[in-house]
Amino acid sequence: MEPERECRVLSIQSHVVRGYVGNKAATFPLQVLGFEVDTVNSVQFSNHTGYAHWKGQVLNSDELHELYEGLKLNKVNQYDYVLTGYTRDTSFLAMVVDIVQELKQQNSNLVYVCDPVMGDKWNGKAPWLYVPKDLLPVYRDKVVPVADIITPNQFEAELLTGRKIYTEKDALEVMDMLHAMGPETVVITSSDLQAPLGNDYLIALGSYRKTNADGTKITQRIRMESPKVDAAFVGTGDLFAAMLLAWTHKHPNNLKVACEKTVSAMQHVLQRTIKSAKAQAGEGNKPNSANLELRMVQSKKDIENPEIIVKATVL
């Protein structure tokens, strides 16, 4: 299923020489699924920062503006989608918002997919913010209002709304609060909610709310339970957001199918990665960062046409 006409994505994310995070994790799947991808590398690092060592350069907001001006001067700044992920700098994030707003003035159908990366919680430990805390008001007050699809984890959804999630009902109310801030589609990509299938499963929740021209509202809400994979992967959120962009494009108004394809493809990639990482590390050894790089190229067929192994429950 190719996009009927050329569909172009502007992806503003990190770049690594070795491995798969940011643009490296997003570009290949989008291209495989038929999208043209224009990448702005917000950083260029040797590898992701989970390794013992890393080196590289960071793009500042003026340099981002300069790159965008180059596109504009050549009149090639026409996009169907904008995709953004991890950013550490408030002025850079504010510049992203300016660019998105300008692109939306040119194309009112432009869809902005934003992964509001701020922090996470692991195995019941206290949540950990891995960006400066002054990014939160920028995401909440500037970024989320111009976004169409957002993919926070539970902690990020709580930060954006100022409300804690203890139950599925809380989560649905938090997603409603996020809809009210702007986005039509909200996917809470991971949570510490109890999965009906048991402790070995991770719950993700999705909500789609659209107001039609005649004022009627469509709402669709789903729950997904996927098997937990016991390893610290990096780049999974970037891959998730890219595939969600692709599958919501191919299945508009059907969040259930888009999420089933996204989450199933994720599972295929993660299972292949953990199997390969364990083989590389050798019997009894814990896989390291290099072993755990996502097996992206090896998963091409699964990304293109994922066998559905995770089904969504309509709530």
Side-chain angles (χ1 to χ4, degrees):
M1 256 174 79
E2 295 303 303
E4 298 65 51
R5 53 175 198 82
E6 182 179 284
C7 196
R8 197 169 278 274
V9 181
L10 177 64
S11 181
I12 305 173
Q13 299 195 63
S14 320
H15 171 79
V16 287
V17 177
R18 171 74 186 242
Y20 292 97
V21 301
N23 274 331
K24 282 283 290 286
T27 305
F28 178 74
L30 284 168
Q31 288 173 329
V32 158
L33 289 164
F35 293 78
E36 287 288 349
V37 188
D38 292 3
T39 53
V40 173
N41 297 328
S42 54
V43 307
Q44 170 162 269
F45 287 168
S46 53
N47 43 267
H48 73 67
T49 57
Y51 283 73
H53 308 279
W54 48 276
K55 298 277 184 191
Q57 300 81 37
V58 176
L59 194 75
N60 66 34
S61 55
D62 292 339
E63 291 162 335
L64 168 61
H65 184 251
E66 191 182 348
L67 290 171
Y68 178 71
E69 283 298 305
L71 296 171
K72 205 162 126 180
L73 289 169
N74 289 311
K75 297 184 171 56
V76 291
N77 59 331
Q78 278 87 33
Y79 291 98
D80 303 285
Y81 286 88
V82 175
L83 175 63
T84 65
Y86 177 74
T87 305
R88 285 194 61 83
D89 179 67
T90 50
S91 64
F92 191 91
L93 199 51
M95 181 62 68
V96 168
V97 173
D98 290 347
I99 290 171
V100 169
Q101 284 174 317
E102 185 170 311
L103 292 172
K104 283 192 168 196
Q105 280 171 347
Q106 288 182 181
N107 173 12
S108 60
N109 295 321
L110 180 133
V111 173
Y112 173 28
V113 180
C114 170
D115 185 3
V117 181
M118 288 182 280
D120 207 349
K121 34 183 151 183
W122 275 287
N123 307 334
K125 292 195 189 97
W128 180 51
L129 205 61
Y130 34 67
V131 298
K133 60 179 185 297
D134 56 359
L135 257 75
L136 172 57
V138 183
Y139 270 119
R140 187 186 58 220
D141 305 333
K142 293 193 169 141
V143 181
V144 173
V146 296
D148 302 282
I149 299 176
I150 56 169
T151 59
N153 57 34
Q154 178 181 330
F155 176 50
E156 290 156 349
E158 291 173 340
L159 284 174
L160 289 168
T161 56
R163 171 130 189 230
K164 285 269 188 265
I165 295 172
Y166 300 105
T167 64
E168 192 171 277
K169 182 174 175 286
D170 294 337
L172 296 176
E173 287 169 10
V174 162
M175 291 197 289
D176 282 341
M177 291 167 79
L178 290 166
H179 284 310
M181 291 161 76
E184 273 185 1
T185 301
V186 177
V187 178
I188 296 179
T189 54
S190 62
S191 70
D192 47 22
L193 295 173
Q194 180 63 45
L197 288 173
N199 291 335
D200 296 334
Y201 287 81
L202 191 68
I203 282 197
L205 295 163
S207 179
Y208 172 72
R209 172 169 292 176
K210 188 177 176 144
T211 307
N212 292 323
D214 61 3
T216 54
K217 280 190 165 59
I218 311 172
T219 306
Q220 188 183 22
R221 300 175 177 294
I222 54 157
R223 177 200 322 124
M224 281 159 303
E225 300 175 70
S226 44
K228 286 181 181 168
V229 183
D230 184 28
F233 298 106
V234 180
T236 48
D238 308 321
L239 174 60
F240 186 99
M243 291 196 298
L244 186 67
L245 182 164
W247 291 118
T248 51
H249 176 80
K250 290 171 191 281
H251 301 283
N253 307 334
N254 194 339
L255 185 61
K256 180 180 188 289
V257 172
C259 283
E260 285 175 344
K261 289 193 174 181
T262 300
V263 174
S264 294
M266 287 292 305
Q267 276 298 313
H268 291 300
V269 174
L270 296 183
Q271 299 298 347
R272 180 174 285 107
T273 301
I274 193 72
K275 194 175 158 192
S276 169
K278 282 177 172 167
Q280 275 186 18
E283 194 73 37
N285 297 326
K286 197 172 183 252
N288 63 19
S289 290
N291 301 145
L292 287 166
E293 290 287 3
L294 298 176
R295 296 298 181 274
M296 197 75 76
V297 175
Q298 298 82 346
S299 302
K300 176 176 177 283
K301 287 192 174 70
D302 292 320
I303 291 167
E304 249 175 324
N305 189 14
E307 181 198 340
I308 302 301
I309 51 174
V310 179
K311 279 273 204 250
T313 307
V314 176
L315 301 174

